[in-house]
Amino acid sequence: MSTLFTKIINGEIPSYKVAEDENYYAFLDINPLAKGHTLVVPKLEKDYIFDLDDKTYSGLFLFAKKVAIAMKKAIPCQKVGVAVIGLDVNHVHVHLVPMNESGDLDFSRKKLSLNAMEFEEIANSISEQL
């Protein structure tokens, strides 16, 4: 059975795509901690990040780095924080979150509520920086 993220990658569920290549996919989190909060996933379905083979693991972080650099150019922030939690969806995913203080990466915080137009503008602004 396909994971939620595989369905997003395959276009069965819509997403606000930021970047994609043959092995990885980046899209905006629909329950963001901050504007620009992006999820980066391998197209390979694995539940636990340390079960990835070395090539996929290192490729995931190199792809995430490209996305994070583009995010920092597009979204006003001091840094882009990185988190790997992996409890909500059984598919490896890296959170990239624009940050101005350490509390910006607190997942217990209230999430932002954005409309479709805001999501599209944010996704486009990051994509344009790649």
Side-chain angles (χ1 to χ4, degrees), residues 37-42 46-52 57 60-61 64 81-89 91-97 105 107:
H37 181 169
T38 299
L39 299 176
V40 181
V41 302
K46 286 285 185 182
D47 178 30
Y48 183 50
I49 194 160
F50 296 120
D51 287 339
L52 292 174
Y57 178 88
L60 174 66
F61 280 94
V82 178
V84 178
I85 300 167
L87 297 174
D88 295 335
V89 178
H91 191 131
V92 171
H93 53 290
V94 174
H95 293 264
L96 299 177
V97 181
L105 204 57
F107 282 82

Side-chain angles (χ1 to χ4, degrees), residues 5 8 15-19 25-29 37-41:
F5 292 161
I8 288 171
S15 70
Y16 298 99
K17 180 170 66 170
V18 170
Y25 192 89
F27 58 100
L28 295 180
D29 190 315
H37 181 169
T38 299
L39 299 176
V40 181
V41 302

Side-chain angles (χ1 to χ4, degrees), residues 1 6 9 11 16 19 22 25 37 45-46 51-52 58 68-69 73-74 78 97 106 110 117-118 122-123 130:
M1 180 118 163
T6 296
I9 292 163
Y16 298 99
E22 61 278 358
Y25 192 89
H37 181 169
E45 275 188 15
K46 286 285 185 182
D51 287 339
L52 292 174
S58 58
I69 290 168
K73 291 177 184 174
Q78 287 186 17
V97 181
D106 179 356
K110 184 178 179 191
M117 182 183 241
E118 289 174 297
I122 293 166
L130 290 166

